[in-house]
Every structure is written in structure tokens, then in C-alpha cells.
Amino acid sequence: MKKKIILLILAMFILSCSAAYAKDVTAIQKGPATAKKGENITLTYTIHNNGNSDIYNVSVADQNFYKFLGTIKAGQSKSFTNRAYIPTDREVKEDFGPDATVSNPFYIGGVAVSYQNANGKTFGINSNSLSIPLVSTSTNKTSDETIQVNITEINNTSANPSSQSIIQQIMDLINSIIMYVQNMFVPNSS
């Protein structure tokens, strides 16, 4: 019985240390304040290593891209950009049916970041998601004047890592624990 309790306490300590290691790395996704249907937008991704140790084999992925960043030294960051297309209502209707429309605000989910420490342990975190208000350009029927109409306003504080919700922090911790447990039981394929 004492062995089980000691092993449980040791496992909790190891898991809390690995979660603390994962907490030293942040991923931030930024996009435009507003956008229009049918246009390409530029998204900027920044991975910060706020820890005291270098991180290795850093990669960023979502459903549309994969980017390998390599090593990020302690106290440093790496950034890159990627383009995303916001479809028109017509394009969405073609793919999903006559009642489908583009959501406003346009939602872009977070990206997954994985990396390893010096011991080869793998960690994972997720960036913030984005809600980008869509604006419309309407042409007045009586003139050629173009009018900008702001359809919706959303205060996007999720791009700021200090406003990261407790739920996101819990999800990051659970993700780190899952990856840690997987590494304990699944042999490394290298």
C-alpha cells in the first residue's frame, strides 16, 4: 500500500514538473482586425520560449498547414506568417447547400505546437483561436460610391496570452499530461 502511495505521489510530481515545462512555452496567433468575404488574410504565428532551457523539434500544425521551426533557444521566439482564405457565401453554398453562409465573425481555430526538451520528452500546447469580424462593401444603387459597413464588432482579447482562459490552461495541462503518459508507454520510433 505504501509503495502505491509513493508511486502515486512521484507520478503526480513528475506530471506537475512536465506541465510546468510546457507552461514556459506560449503560442500566439494574430490576424487582421476585420476582413472581407472572398479575400486572403495573413495570419502571424509566434512561438515564445520563456523557459530557461532550449526546446527542440518545434513544429506548428493545423488542418491547413504544417511548419517545422527547429530549435528555439531559451528566452527567444520564432514567428512566421501563413495565408488563409475567407470564402464567399456563394462558395459555401456550393459546398454545403443553399442555406449555408459564412459565419460572422469568421472563426479560426488555434494551432497545435509540439516540441521536445533536452531529454527528448515531447510536449504540446495550443494557440489562441481568432474571431475576425467581417465587413461588407456595398454599392449604392444610385451612385458608384462604395460604402464600408461594419457588420459586427467583437473585442478579440484571446490574441493576448495574458487573457488566456482558465479552460485553455486546463486543456494545455491535460494535453501535456496525455503526451507525457504516451511517451512513458509508447517507445520512441527514432
Side-chain angles (χ1 to χ4, degrees), residues 59-135:
S59 62
V60 181
D62 78 354
Q63 63 191 21
N64 299 312
F65 74 90
Y66 172 84
K67 179 83 169 173
F68 182 75
L69 299 177
T71 300
I72 301 178
K73 298 202 174 285
Q76 294 187 353
S77 301
K78 284 193 178 180
S79 295
F80 66 97
T81 60
N82 193 46
R83 306 270 295 160
Y85 177 72
I86 299 176
T88 63
D89 282 331
R90 190 181 98 231
E91 292 166 328
V92 171
K93 286 179 191 311
E94 288 173 6
D95 289 340
F96 299 104
D99 295 329
T101 60
V102 177
S103 67
N104 190 4
F106 189 76
Y107 179 80
I108 299 175
V111 296
V113 178
S114 65
Y115 58 94
Q116 294 178 330
N117 66 9
N119 296 328
K121 294 291 182 186
T122 302
F123 299 88
I125 61 169
N126 294 315
S127 75
N128 57 294
S129 57
L130 297 176
S131 291
I132 302 171
L134 299 178
V135 295

Side-chain angles (χ1 to χ4, degrees), residues 36 135-151:
K36 297 176 188 168
V135 295
S136 171
T137 303
S138 301
T139 303
N140 188 333
K141 301 270 186 206
T142 59
S143 73
D144 292 334
E145 182 180 327
T146 300
I147 303 168
Q148 290 285 335
V149 180
N150 189 354
I151 296 173

